[in-house]
């Protein structure tokens, strides 16, 4: 957008808001706020209005929006809608629905993502505007309870998303969304139940209406029975499962059923073609169904399918759907005695009798789900146990690994956009997904992240990595323990104890993944693949750097310098560091470090560190690997095994200019910021200045910490051959990957041309990421560029590029189809503080507080 148009947009916003708000106050349509909440809201509105103007000025100055402008818009819209509606729930929905309208336009070139966003926009706006209409009708006393409009729209939103998903993607929209298919069936029958009860109540005598409406609890219990009894044919219809007589599939199910001591004649076998390999057991105990899902019926790996089928048969054998039905009915009875709503439809058909708003009901449901899903995960663990007891432990582990590889880009989300595309994934990209999935599962076994664990609290299945460990572990892991792991492993020590306990099982997993991938992709030695993928080149920046390592299994700690990087024949843990030990066991000797099993902290004695809470800079003078950190020597904490695990290992600093001082910091229980000298690795290399929504290439000639303790970079502009200084007080420095956005507009033509030309001339390896879901990321070098003159601006722009991938594939790509181009190695990115909006500066400070190793302000 041209600067003139940007100024018009900003002025329209300023004048528009003032012309609306001021008259409302002057003519007393809106009274001056008196209540504390109203005062706080209007103060928030005023602050965010100023922030919006600041973002607008930054937009005009730089030509592009700031990286956090979207969040500013959402907050402003939320406060604005809440001031008008005083409806917390509708304000959240409204803020996102209005914002996403613009998102649909911005995503117009993304084949799958655009449709997903469009489904969300339509659904959210339906809820939002229904809520607004309800508020207006209530304000004008046309109806008594206006919230019923928004609540009804929300209760129907599930169906709107389903219908739109079917319209855009067909049945696979439902199938590839993990764990959701039975939910639709349940909600459908609940909706019918509510419709019947309401109709009978309205047609019956007035004095019986309340009694009939109260019978909804028992009607929903009856609905559960109906769902259970008829779930077999209903799910066949909903999911498109068809009867199959394929002898191979029938044989697999029959053999597995016999091993599990079940009668195969009682199991109805179904098949459906979708882009994942999975199986599903459903139906009542007298009408058992087994559906097999795969991309192609002829390419199903038999052993993996047996493991998945055995798990599903475990559900049928254990009558798990029956017991889940009982649990659901008991929940309804509890809600009956509490007089709480059971479903979202309660707010549609009986809005005046609900004890609390819909948003409270939704929060309560999340809390209830966290509790109920413990038992659901217990059933899943029991189904796994049944498969293991029948001799399918290895097959189940392989099947779980295979299934996770289909969700390689969205393990926690459960909906992978690549599965919604009609484009076929290349064999090379399938291999990369298997490799990344093996690493993902292994990382979560070794050192699970809290975010990942929390996401599993409302997941019906235990995490696949825990299920795989239970499959391979020689000592049985109790099913209830497995279902509680997302809770218990929030304590790092508990997770680490499980890692040590199941180390032998983890080694079996590592062996399985390597054998699986080698067989699937006809690989003789994984090291050959790693050479093609140039993994050593990606990690070469570490060579010569010093680190403290703590092995999470043996607890051994060493301080050393990486001398070389080596490959091993493993898909899951393919990298080894050759490290010269500078401190610890075997000092001055060379040892091999497996980075997957070690915590790693970048430090070096003599370097200067900017700890945020310290008044002065700190120079590292000593590393004490075996000392236990105590924050207060006067009140030392008890050195329990858990405390020792997190706090053994101390960095000893001196304050700059005070050699007698001593400041201690833990090595592993507190994030260590990057030292000023860390920047040495970028010396005489390209770094990047972020400006005007793009990046300018610079050369770092030198750096220093001067007498005034100012950190200064000496930089050179390769284009003009001029030099200048960048002081920390005027710039922020970020250590991160660089992704160069391809805007493909006249304001960015020149910067895009210079960047891409530099990559081609220097033959720099990069990631080219396309605006599509499948085969979107290309690891390549740019071999050729074709230019054209833009008709509107008459500026030379890139039209096409030719790339050669690491797999020696040559491709021709239109620049308009490219989203971003990323560099492989870590980069130093500068940004002038005066070019950053106030809100972005605030966010950067929060990031520095949480992740001081990523940003220096």
């Amino acid at each position: 957008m041209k600067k003139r148009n940007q100024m018009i947009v900003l002025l329209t916003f300023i004048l528009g808001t003032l012309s609306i708000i001021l008259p409302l106050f002057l003519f007393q349509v809106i009274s001056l706020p008196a209540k504390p909440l109203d005062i706080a809201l209007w103060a928030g509105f005023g602050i965010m209005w100023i922030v919006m103007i600041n973002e607008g000025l930054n937009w005009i100055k730089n030509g592009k929006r700031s990286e956090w402008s979207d969040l500013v818009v959402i907050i402003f819209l939320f406060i604005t809608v809440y001031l008008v509606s005083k409806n917390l729930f509708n304000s959240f929905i409204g803020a996102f629905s209005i914002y996403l309208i613009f998102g649909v336009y911005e995503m117009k070139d993304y084949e799958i993502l655009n449709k997903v966003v469009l489904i969300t926009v339509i659904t959210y706006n339906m809820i939002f505007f229904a809520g607004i209409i309800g508020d207006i009708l209530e304000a004008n006393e046309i109806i008594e309870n206006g919230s019923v409009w928004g609540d009804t729209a929300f209760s129907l939103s599930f169906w709107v998303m389903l219908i739109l998903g079917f319209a855009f993607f067909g049945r696979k929209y439902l199938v590839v969304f993990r764990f959701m298919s039975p939910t639709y069936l349940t909600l459908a029958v609940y909706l019918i139940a509510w419709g019947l009860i309401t109709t009978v109540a309205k047609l019956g005598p007035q004095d019986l209406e309340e009694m009939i409406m109260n019978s909804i609890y028992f009607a929903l219990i009856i609905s559960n029975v109906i769902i259970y009894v008829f779930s077999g044919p209903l799910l066949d219809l909903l999911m498109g499962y068809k009867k199959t007589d394929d002898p191979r599939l029938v044989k697999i199910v029959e053999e597995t059923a016999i091993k599990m001591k079940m009668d195969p004649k009682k199991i109805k076998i179904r098949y459906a073609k979708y882009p994942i390999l999975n199986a599903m057991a459903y139906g009542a105990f007298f009408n058992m169904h087994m559906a097999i899902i795969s991309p192609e019926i002829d390419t199903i790996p038999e052993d993996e399918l047996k493991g998945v089928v055995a798990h599903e048969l475990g559900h049928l054998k254990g009558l798990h759907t029956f017991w889940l039905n009982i649990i659901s009915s008991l929940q309804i009875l509890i809600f009956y005695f509490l007089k709480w709503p059971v479903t979202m439809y309660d707010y549609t058909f009986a809005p005046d009798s609900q004890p609390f708003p819909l948003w409270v009901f939704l929060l309560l449901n999340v809390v209830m789900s966290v509790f109920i899903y413990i038992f659901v995960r217990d059933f899943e663990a029991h189904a796994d146990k049944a498969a293991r007891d029948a001799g399918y432990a290895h097959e189940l582990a392989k099947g779980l690994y295979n299934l996770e590889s289909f969700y390689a880009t969205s393990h926690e989300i459960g909906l992978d956009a690549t599965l919604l595309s009609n484009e076929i994934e290349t064999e090379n990209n399938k291999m990369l997904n298997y490799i990344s999935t093996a690493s993902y599962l292994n990382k979560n076994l070794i050192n699970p992240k809290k975010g990942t664990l929390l996401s599993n609290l409302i997941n019906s299945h235990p995490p696949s990595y825990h299920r795989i460990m239970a499959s391979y572990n020689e000592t049985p892991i109790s099913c209830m323990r497995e279902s509680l792991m997302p809770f218990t492993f929030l304590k790092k020590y508990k997770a680490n104890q499980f890692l040590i306990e199941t180390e032998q099982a983890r080694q079996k997993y590592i062996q399985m993944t390597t054998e699986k991938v080698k067989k699937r992709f006809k690989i003789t030695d994984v090291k050959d693949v790693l050479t093609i993928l140039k993994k050593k080149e990606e990690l070469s920046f570490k060579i010569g750097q010093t680190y403290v390592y703590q092995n999470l299994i043996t607890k051994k700690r060493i301080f050393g310098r990486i001398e070389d990087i080596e490959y091993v024949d493993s898909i899951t843990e393919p990298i080894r560091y050759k490290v010269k030990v500078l401190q610890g066991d075997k000092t001055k000797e060379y040892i091999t470090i497996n980075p997957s099993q070690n915590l790693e902290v970048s430090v070096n004695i003599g370097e200067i560190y900017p700890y945020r809470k310290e008044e002065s800079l700190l120079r590292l003078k000593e590393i004490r690997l075996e000392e236990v950190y105590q924050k207060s020597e006067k009140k030392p904490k008890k050195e329990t095994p858990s405390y020792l695990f997190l706090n053994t290992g101390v960095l000893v600093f001196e304050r700059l200019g005070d050699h007698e001082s001593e400041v201690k910091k833990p090595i592993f229980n507190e994030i260590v910021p990057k030292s000023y000298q860390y920047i040495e690795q970028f010396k005489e290399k390209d770094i990047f200045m972020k400006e005007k929504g793009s990046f300018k290439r610079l050369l770092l000639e030198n750096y220093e910490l001067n007498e005034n303790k100012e950190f200064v970079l000496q930089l050179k502009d390769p284009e003009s051959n001029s030099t200048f200084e960048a002081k920390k007080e005027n710039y922020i420095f970020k250590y991160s990957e660089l992704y160069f956005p391809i805007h493909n507009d006249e304001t960015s033509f020149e910067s895009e041309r210079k960047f891409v030309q530099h990559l081609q001339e220097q033959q720099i390896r990069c990631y080219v990421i396309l605006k599509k879901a499948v085969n979107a990321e290309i690891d390549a070098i740019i071999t050729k560029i074709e230019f054209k003159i833009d008709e509107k601006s008459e500026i030379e722009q890139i039209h096409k590029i030719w790339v050669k991938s690491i797999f020696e594939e040559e491709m021709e790509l239109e620049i308009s189809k490219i989203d971003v181009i990323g560099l492989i190695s870590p980069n130093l990115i500068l940004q002038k503080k005066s070019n950053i909006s106030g809100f972005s500066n605030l966010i950067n400070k929060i990031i520095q507080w949480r992740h001081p190793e990523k940003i220096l302000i």
Side-chain angles (χ1 to χ4, degrees), residues 472-487:
Y472 280 136
N473 206 46
E474 291 183 359
T475 304
I477 296 170
S478 74
C479 296
M480 182 52 70
R481 182 189 178 192
E482 189 177 340
S483 69
L484 289 170
M485 282 178 181
F487 286 99

Side-chain angles (χ1 to χ4, degrees), residues 149 157 170 210 242 648 677 722 778:
W149 279 69
S157 62
E210 184 178 350
K242 305 293 183 184
T648 302
Q677 287 78 9
S722 60
I778 305 166

Side-chain angles (χ1 to χ4, degrees), residues 558-583:
I558 67 110
F559 171 56
R561 181 174 60 245
I562 296 178
E563 300 291 339
D564 198 7
I565 295 169
E566 300 168 345
Y567 301 145
V568 294
D569 188 25
S570 169
I571 285 294
T572 306
E573 296 182 342
I575 302 296
R576 298 291 185 273
Y577 297 154
K578 183 181 178 182
V579 176
K580 184 176 182 179
V581 180
L582 303 176
Q583 189 176 329

Side-chain angles (χ1 to χ4, degrees), residues 660-704:
E660 301 301 319
S661 60
E662 185 175 278
V663 179
K664 293 182 180 180
K665 299 287 183 181
I667 299 176
F668 301 107
N669 200 24
E670 184 178 332
I671 297 174
V672 180
K674 291 285 192 296
S675 72
Y676 283 139
Q677 287 78 9
Y678 181 82
I679 212 168
E680 176 71 26
Q681 64 180 291
F682 300 103
K683 195 173 176 181
E684 300 299 330
K685 293 181 181 178
D686 290 337
I687 64 170
F688 293 87
M689 174 89 76
K690 186 173 183 180
E691 57 182 14
K692 297 185 177 180
S694 191
F695 293 92
K696 182 177 181 178
R697 184 172 63 90
L698 300 170
L699 186 70
L700 176 61
E701 291 193 323
N702 209 344
Y703 66 94
E704 67 171 345

Side-chain angles (χ1 to χ4, degrees), residues 189-202 212 216 219 349:
V189 178
Y190 281 1
L191 181 59
I192 294 169
W194 256 116
L196 290 173
I197 289 292
T198 306
T199 303
V200 172
K202 297 298 181 185
I212 294 171
I216 184 61
F349 294 101

Side-chain angles (χ1 to χ4, degrees), residues 546-548 559 582-583 602-609 619-624 651-653 675 677:
T546 55
Y547 299 90
V548 176
F559 171 56
L582 303 176
Q583 189 176 329
S602 173
V603 292
N604 202 2
I605 293 174
E607 294 187 351
I608 299 168
Y609 293 79
R619 189 193 305 277
L620 181 61
K621 63 179 183 180
E622 189 180 351
I623 299 172
R624 298 174 186 169
L651 301 175
V652 182
F653 297 90
S675 72
Q677 287 78 9

Side-chain angles (χ1 to χ4, degrees), residues 612-623:
R612 187 180 60 86
K613 293 182 179 180
E614 297 294 332
E615 295 178 359
S616 64
L617 298 174
L618 302 180
R619 189 193 305 277
L620 181 61
K621 63 179 183 180
E622 189 180 351
I623 299 172

Side-chain angles (χ1 to χ4, degrees), residues 391-612:
Y392 291 108
H394 179 64
E395 290 81 358
L396 176 61
K398 286 184 73 176
L400 290 169
Y401 169 50
N402 188 70
L403 181 60
E404 279 294 332
S405 72
F406 284 103
Y407 295 92
T409 60
S410 60
H411 295 286
E412 281 83 42
I413 299 170
L415 175 61
D416 195 326
T418 61
L419 299 176
L420 298 174
S421 175
N422 292 322
E423 184 177 347
I424 303 299
E425 193 170 38
T426 66
E427 283 296 294
N428 286 329
N429 282 329
K430 285 180 182 177
M431 179 182 69
L432 293 175
N433 283 342
Y434 273 105
I435 293 172
S436 66
T437 297
S439 176
Y440 163 82
L441 295 172
N442 191 51
K443 284 178 180 176
N444 280 285
L445 285 169
I446 294 172
N447 193 19
K449 304 298 181 186
K450 283 189 177 180
T452 304
L453 292 169
L454 289 170
S455 69
N456 276 289
L457 294 181
I458 51 173
N459 196 324
S460 60
H461 289 60
S464 293
Y465 38 89
H466 291 159
R467 296 172 68 187
I468 291 171
M469 287 302 97
S471 296
Y472 280 136
N473 206 46
E474 291 183 359
T475 304
I477 296 170
S478 74
C479 296
M480 182 52 70
R481 182 189 178 192
E482 189 177 340
S483 69
L484 289 170
M485 282 178 181
F487 286 99
T488 55
F489 288 178
L490 289 171
K491 290 186 176 181
K492 287 188 176 183
Y493 179 69
K494 293 286 187 182
N496 184 252
Q497 288 297 103
F498 180 74
L499 168 67
I500 296 168
E501 175 189 332
T502 58
E503 177 57 17
Q504 192 174 17
R506 194 177 69 86
Q507 292 303 322
K508 290 180 182 178
Y509 159 74
I510 291 170
Q511 183 180 351
M512 177 271 288
T513 55
T514 301
E515 290 175 353
K516 156 79 180 174
V517 174
K518 289 172 79 170
K519 182 179 179 181
R520 169 69 176 78
F521 298 99
K522 298 178 175 61
I523 298 168
T524 304
D525 193 325
V526 175
K527 288 182 280 187
D528 297 333
V529 176
L530 298 171
T531 301
I532 293 171
L533 298 178
K534 301 179 180 178
K535 289 296 180 182
K536 183 173 180 178
E537 180 184 314
E538 289 181 25
L539 297 167
S540 60
F541 70 94
K542 286 178 170 285
I543 295 176
Q545 299 295 314
T546 55
Y547 299 90
V548 176
Y549 289 100
Q550 175 173 260
N551 190 297
L552 287 167
I553 299 167
T554 66
K555 301 299 181 294
K556 286 186 177 181
R557 289 167 289 278
I558 67 110
F559 171 56
R561 181 174 60 245
I562 296 178
E563 300 291 339
D564 198 7
I565 295 169
E566 300 168 345
Y567 301 145
V568 294
D569 188 25
S570 169
I571 285 294
T572 306
E573 296 182 342
I575 302 296
R576 298 291 185 273
Y577 297 154
K578 183 181 178 182
V579 176
K580 184 176 182 179
V581 180
L582 303 176
Q583 189 176 329
D585 290 345
K586 301 180 180 179
T587 302
K588 296 185 180 180
E589 291 186 18
Y590 289 92
I591 64 169
T592 299
I593 291 285
N594 181 349
S596 300
Q597 296 179 9
N598 282 266
L599 295 178
E600 178 186 271
V601 178
S602 173
V603 292
N604 202 2
I605 293 174
E607 294 187 351
I608 299 168
Y609 293 79
Y611 274 88
R612 187 180 60 86

